[in-house]
Amino acid sequence: VQLQAFGGGLVQPGGSLGLSCAASASGFISINRMGWYRQAPGKQRELVANISSGGVTNYADSVKGRFTISRDNAKKTMYLQMNSLKPEDTAVYYCNADIRAMGYEYNYWGQGTLVTVSS
């Protein structure tokens, strides 16, 4: 099972950026909770947002109203639309998911993608 994050890059304050995270495996998998985390330099990794398999979402207070998490279960892909970006949103963003394969559920991390908000 692999989680691969896409997107990221440099954006000006007030701008928008979208991230995606795709799960893949050689066999059948089912994906439960998915989430985005971020880690800024010198800080601990923190939850940005997560989404259940049924679409129930949860956001960190710092991103509420600016970020939107979504998922496409058929494509096994999760998205994060980030609007009104601030310099303090600069971090490496990681996707995370609880994935069941061959009867066992494990927690997986993607490789991380850097988001830099700067003028």
Side-chain angles (χ1 to χ4, degrees), residues 32-105:
N32 294 321
R33 184 197 55 80
M34 304 183 80
W36 289 97
Y37 290 74
R38 67 185 181 187
Q39 187 166 19
K43 294 188 176 181
Q44 289 188 328
R45 192 173 298 189
E46 63 176 2
L47 174 69
V48 175
N50 57 30
I51 184 167
S52 71
S53 57
V56 177
T57 59
N58 176 52
Y59 294 92
D61 288 342
S62 58
V63 306
K64 280 180 181 176
R66 300 188 298 122
F67 290 12
T68 301
I69 189 172
S70 61
R71 62 190 285 172
D72 184 329
N73 290 331
K75 294 182 178 179
K76 296 183 176 59
T77 300
M78 170 180 63
Y79 307 93
L80 186 68
Q81 179 62 39
M82 303 182 290
N83 299 327
S84 302
L85 283 160
K86 304 176 181 179
E88 50 263 42
D89 294 318
T90 295
V92 177
Y93 284 70
Y94 298 90
C95 57
N96 177 271
D98 295 323
I99 299 175
R100 177 173 288 272
M102 296 184 292
Y104 296 93
E105 183 171 290

